[in-house]
Amino acid sequence: MNVIVVGGGIAGLTAALRADALGHRVTLLVKDVIGDSCTACAQGGVAGAYGPGDSPALHALDTLQAGDGHGDALAITALVDGAAGAIDELIAAGVAFDRSADGLLARGLEAAHSRPRIAHAGGDATGAAISAALARRVRASSVEVREGVFVADLLVDSGRVRGIRSLDGVETHADGVILATGGSGQLYAHTTNPPGITGDGIALALRAGAAVADLEFVQFHPTVLGDGAPFLVSEAVRGAGAVLRDAGGHRFMLEEHPDAELAPRDVVARAVARRAAAQSAPVVLDATALGAEILAERFPTIDAELRRRGIEWSRQPVPVTPAAHYLMGGVVTDVDGRTTLPGLWAVGETARTGVHGANRLASNSLLEGAVFGARAAESLTHHSLPYEYVPLATPAGDPNSYGSEKRVVVGNGGQDGCVFERTALQRLMWEHVGLMRTEEGLRDAVARLHAWSPPPATSRTAQEDANLLTVARAVASASLARTRSLGAHFVVSPALIGAA
Ligand code: SIN
């Protein structure tokens, strides 16, 4: 089969390598260069039941609980059962995971995991190690790599995806297209995602008519250094013993949740935001008890960056703030990455497999990319869903409005004649479709987003802007449709926004 993979993070590279190994003719298209993705920035690691005292069943339970019960049991089972095989494949690809003295995989602890089960490489440089190893493999394989190609549209003919059209108008035909472009962190004014993460795959799928779901569930990472360019301070640092303190030095998470700093990510992020708003200053992450040696050895990337910014974190606490980090929803797929559009697959953060529910468990994302990237490649010869897709009912009861652009404009839609500007969209999403949402704010956001016209997609930036607008409308509409809080989707009354 001729197969196009779009995107060069762990999910896309894994899918391309596996499809190549299965004898397919694979073309890998990336907007920038291979490895320019969220994967390369990932610090935590790859979750999995790799050691004694742990099991896939426990990992599945933690995944379901962190997702506020909204996850899909079948998909979660595929994820956790696939962990051992995925880590073996990564080791075979040349990723040197850190080992403990007994030679077993060193396993870190992160929030909402009942066991230490995060395999890491280079301390906190796991994503960079994976990205480099897989990129080397791909370049040594028969996969045709085309860098600097921005996919503008999917070619759909007789209800089936037949290839892609790039921004320069060139059409490339294929029997199957796998979308692996990551999420959409650039929807927000503050994000841990690199600048190229503009929701491209989700926008492509929406324009082609594939179903999307769970777009209201956006994860905000609680501990991001907000001073200058946002820089992630891994949850693994809290797993190793660092604590959060308010301006008075008080460890406030103890009152927020029995697991304190290791509560599910959405709980910690909201608590951090509330405390910062109440004291009009950022809260701090205090890692001083860990000592300079452990900090430098276990977290060399963070250590170097903090020093570069003049923060000596073995002696002083680090000011942190939440930032948009991960999209739990995306293009609806089955457990083999098949979307509702024959000939189209989606993997990694682009996909909504159902594994993350309403809030992703830490370090399940690299695992998802590895497991479902391979599964999608394995399923390429079966291009249609093996069952009829029934759209998920929306909380508002109208399946057609779920994440689609068909939703009617509400509020002052169309009247403010806004000229589209990316920074305005990012601010709007941050303020109204962010960590804490109100019905009024969501209505306003939906109206304003629909009042903006997408810029003519004549350049890379304009195409990215159009994609961001498409995805922003879908995220805001899905958020408005879900009137009750669940996981990362948190709706409060306006009066409570500072105190909720
Ligand atoms: C982190 O290292 O805190 C991020 C890991 C993740 O997003 O799962």
Side-chain angles (χ1 to χ4, degrees):
M1 256 173 87
N2 281 329
V3 181
I4 291 175
V5 179
V6 189
I10 187 170
L13 297 177
T14 303
L17 282 168
R18 182 63 67 92
D20 180 58
L22 290 168
H24 298 295
R25 193 164 164 272
V26 184
T27 306
L28 177 70
L29 306 178
V30 288
K31 191 161 75 164
D32 294 299
V33 292
I34 287 192
D36 241 355
S37 66
C38 285
T39 296
C41 313
Q43 295 174 355
V46 187
Y50 311 121
D54 200 358
S55 68
L58 284 173
H59 184 189
L61 192 61
D62 293 345
T63 301
L64 194 59
Q65 279 174 352
D68 222 351
H70 187 63
D72 177 305
L74 197 65
I76 292 174
T77 303
L79 178 82
V80 299
D81 286 351
I87 206 90
D88 286 346
E89 291 272 329
L90 289 169
I91 292 168
V95 183
F97 284 99
D98 299 330
R99 303 267 169 184
S100 45
D102 54 13
L104 297 176
L105 286 174
R107 296 181 304 280
L109 180 65
E110 289 184 22
H113 284 276
S114 58
R115 300 283 186 282
R117 62 163 74 95
I118 317 300
H120 47 84
D124 57 1
T126 316
I130 290 174
S131 193
L134 294 182
R136 264 196 311 273
R137 278 260 155 146
V138 165
R139 291 198 192 280
S141 73
S142 16
V143 173
E144 184 189 347
V145 178
R146 293 196 211 152
E147 293 173 316
V149 176
F150 193 176
V151 176
D153 272 309
L154 295 169
L155 302 176
V156 185
D157 181 28
S158 308
R160 187 170 167 186
V161 172
R162 310 272 174 184
I164 62 96
R165 182 182 305 105
S166 56
L167 190 58
D168 55 11
V170 176
E171 293 188 355
T172 309
H173 295 265
D175 305 303
V177 174
I178 303 178
L179 296 175
T181 61
S184 55
Q186 291 298 329
L187 286 176
Y188 290 91
H190 308 286
T191 179
T192 59
N193 291 191
I197 303 300
T198 49
D200 304 334
I202 297 167
L204 285 170
L206 274 168
R207 285 200 290 274
V212 297
D214 285 352
L215 292 178
E216 64 273 38
F217 301 117
V218 179
Q219 182 168 79
F220 293 81
H221 197 290
T223 54
V224 177
L225 183 63
D227 194 11
F231 178 75
L232 184 71
V233 183
S234 176
E235 201 157 83
V237 177
R238 277 175 280 137
V243 297
L244 288 159
R245 298 192 192 280
D246 66 16
H250 177 62
R251 196 179 155 197
F252 60 93
M253 278 309 301
L254 289 171
E255 294 111 52
E256 297 280 349
H257 193 278
D259 294 333
E261 286 81 4
L262 295 181
R265 203 171 269 180
D266 60 317
V267 174
V268 182
R270 285 193 295 271
V272 165
R274 279 196 304 265
R275 196 55 65 125
Q279 65 184 21
S280 304
V283 306
V284 293
L285 181 69
D286 182 356
T288 54
L290 298 180
E293 206 175 315
I294 289 182
L295 290 175
E297 190 187 305
R298 174 66 180 86
F299 306 108
T301 312
I302 302 170
D303 190 65
E305 181 61 19
L306 292 182
R307 281 168 188 279
R308 198 184 66 75
R309 296 185 188 212
I311 300 172
E312 179 42 79
W313 66 326
S314 65
R315 290 203 300 268
Q316 69 187 105
V318 183
V320 289
T321 182
H325 186 57
Y326 193 88
L327 183 61
M328 270 68 76
V331 185
V332 171
T333 72
D334 71 353
V335 291
D336 293 315
R338 281 181 288 245
T339 71
T340 56
L341 207 51
L344 183 68
W345 283 254
V347 290
E349 195 174 343
T350 310
R352 184 272 180 201
T353 55
V355 295
H356 305 306
N359 177 42
R360 177 175 62 86
L361 183 67
S363 289
N364 266 353
S365 46
L366 291 177
L367 177 63
E368 184 192 25
V371 169
F372 289 91
R375 290 184 71 106
E378 297 278 353
S379 79
L380 278 166
T381 45
H382 303 283
H383 61 78
S384 296
L385 281 174
Y387 49 81
E388 191 185 345
Y389 174 69
V390 180
L392 300 169
T394 68
D398 173 14
N400 292 324
S401 75
Y402 203 91
S404 83
E405 292 191 75
K406 290 185 205 135
R407 193 177 182 85
V408 289
V409 176
V410 293
N412 70 344
Q415 288 167 23
D416 52 8
C418 294
V419 175
F420 178 85
E421 216 190 294
R422 189 184 294 195
T423 51
L425 175 140
Q426 291 169 326
R427 267 199 318 274
L428 180 71
M429 292 295 287
W430 182 259
E431 279 163 21
H432 291 319
V433 197
L435 202 48
M436 288 181 249
R437 303 161 175 187
T438 64
E439 189 191 331
E440 294 75 1
L442 290 170
R443 280 187 186 283
D444 186 40
V446 170
R448 286 212 245 160
L449 289 165
H450 282 82
W452 280 325
S453 310
T458 49
S459 67
R460 171 185 165 134
T461 305
Q463 179 69 56
E464 286 184 340
D465 284 345
N467 290 348
L468 283 169
L469 185 56
T470 297
V471 179
R473 287 173 175 174
V475 169
S477 295
S479 304
L480 182 59
R482 185 174 292 280
T483 50
R484 295 226 175 137
S485 297
L486 185 71
H489 173 66
F490 196 72
V491 195
V492 291
S493 84
L496 291 177
I497 203 92

